[in-house]
Amino acid sequence: MDLQAIIDDIALAFAERRGEGKVADYIPELAKVDPKQFAIAITTVDGAVYTAGDAATPFSIQSISKVFMLTLALGKAGETVWNRVGREPSGSAFNSIVQLEHELGIPRNPFINAGAIVVCDMVLAGYKPKEAIGELLRFVRYLADDETISIDQAVARSETQTGFRNYALANFMRSFGNLHHDVDHVLGVYFHQCALSMTCRQLSRAGLFLAAQGADPISGYSVVSPKRARRINALMLTCGHYDGSGDFAFHVGLPGKSGVGGGIMAIAPGKASIAVWSPGLNKVGNSQLGSLALEMLAARTGWSVFGA
């Protein structure tokens, strides 16, 4: 299978459609991003890398970072994570507050905003906010084998200044006793986490451990146990695209996590880690062309977890 030819075809197929969708403009810094960008990168478990389009252009990975923060939290707190956050699809918008009251401040899953804020609270235990942010940055650099990965401070500031709904979510959970640290400290970590800036090439490399039963197949080092990698993939499949998760599973059939920066990281277990990026979002906040590109890739490669 010629993966380079496949992704070159995909990039060509979307060349005339660049700019489709709506850039996330509720975060002012993201509103400035040129929507006519498109990238795809694949890193296979044997270490081969294939890229097409703007795969060397950094972008704000936003909620894709929740996968890496959850991995850290599981390493720190183990299965007790699930005492404070659920594992069910939300069926609601990523920043919805409605379910929280009904479910007594326990977020549905770690990939909606409320759940990710609780995960940040767990990672913050025993740390100052800057130390927790540093821990995440070191972890992602280690996974991607790239020390140049950084946090976009302008995006972090933009989120801090406009993240009123996230402040509401955090305070609401604090009122139920499901947030243990100062709200400003937890959200400081959360906003900086979402402002991680990576290229598709770096992102596809960082997700590779999830395609290889929890180990980095290139270095040989174990990142998480095979069981934990399988469970993180399961959560990505069922919850990784908010209220569009079922549709993504239906069309693509791979565990994936989207971000409102227009990126998607997808995992083909046993085969490869894939990253796509196109800033324009569809109506449920996932990359419009990125989702279509992954559907085309899954069809061409037969990589769906549900069978070819």
Side-chain angles (χ1 to χ4, degrees):
M1 186 162 56
D2 189 341
L3 287 175
Q4 188 61 56
I6 290 171
I7 64 171
D8 284 342
D9 285 351
I10 291 171
L12 187 62
F14 292 112
E16 297 299 316
R17 298 179 63 180
R18 288 185 178 217
E20 279 190 17
K22 186 175 184 291
V23 173
D25 54 8
Y26 64 92
I27 300 171
E29 279 299 312
L30 295 187
K32 300 176 184 176
V33 175
D34 177 6
K36 293 183 179 295
Q37 298 180 89
F38 176 87
I40 184 167
I42 299 173
T43 304
T44 65
V45 291
D46 59 6
V49 180
Y50 306 91
T51 65
D54 304 301
T57 301
F59 63 94
S60 182
I61 72 167
Q62 292 291 311
S63 287
I64 302 170
S65 64
K66 294 171 182 176
V67 176
F68 305 123
M69 197 61 115
L70 174 64
T71 306
L72 282 180
L74 287 166
K76 190 169 186 173
E79 295 302 298
T80 65
V81 165
W82 309 120
N83 297 334
R84 296 176 57 193
V85 62
R87 300 188 294 264
E88 293 293 336
S90 66
S92 300
F94 59 85
N95 57 1
S96 173
I97 201 168
V98 175
Q99 282 175 331
L100 268 181
E101 182 162 25
H102 180 64
E103 295 172 355
L104 306 179
I106 305 292
R108 271 291 175 97
N109 66 68
F111 295 150
I112 54 173
N113 288 17
I117 290 167
V118 172
V119 168
C120 281
D121 188 60
M122 295 179 200
V123 173
L124 190 52
Y127 282 138
K128 294 175 181 175
K130 282 187 178 179
E131 293 169 339
I133 295 162
E135 180 79 4
L136 175 68
L137 194 53
R138 281 191 298 275
F139 182 52
V140 173
R141 285 172 172 172
Y142 164 73
L143 292 176
D145 192 23
D146 192 329
E147 291 296 313
T148 67
I149 294 168
S150 63
I151 289 169
D152 188 323
Q153 296 296 336
V155 172
R157 275 194 304 274
S158 189
E159 296 208 47
T160 303
Q161 290 162 2
T162 59
F164 305 115
R165 189 179 286 253
N166 288 319
Y167 278 99
L169 291 168
N171 279 295
F172 200 69
M173 291 187 292
R174 185 77 190 261
S175 76
F176 279 103
N178 199 20
L179 217 62
H180 300 167
H181 297 86
D182 181 87
V183 164
D184 286 333
H185 289 175
V186 178
L187 289 177
V189 175
Y190 177 72
F191 292 140
H192 281 80
Q193 162 198 321
C194 290
L196 265 172
S197 181
M198 297 176 72
T199 68
C200 273
R201 186 186 183 102
Q202 291 167 335
L203 189 57
S204 71
R205 176 70 176 88
L208 194 58
F209 75 102
L210 292 171
Q213 297 188 310
D216 181 338
I218 297 172
S219 70
Y221 292 123
S222 175
V223 180
V224 297
S225 69
K227 180 180 180 181
R228 185 160 288 168
R230 188 168 68 246
R231 287 182 162 175
I232 293 169
N233 280 331
L235 285 166
M236 289 170 67
L237 183 73
T238 56
C239 309
H241 284 74
Y242 313 120
D243 46 336
S245 297
D247 202 53
F248 187 81
F250 182 85
H251 287 286
V252 179
L254 294 173
K257 183 72 200 83
S258 64
V260 296
I264 303 173
M265 179 175 73
I267 305 298
K271 298 180 175 66
S273 172
I274 309 133
V276 295
W277 174 53
S278 179
L281 309 179
N282 61 21
K283 65 181 186 303
V284 290
N286 302 315
S287 175
Q288 183 154 315
L289 294 188
S291 300
L292 293 171
L294 285 168
E295 182 177 2
M296 190 179 292
L297 179 69
R300 292 281 298 272
T301 58
W303 279 355
S304 167
V305 298
F306 302 111

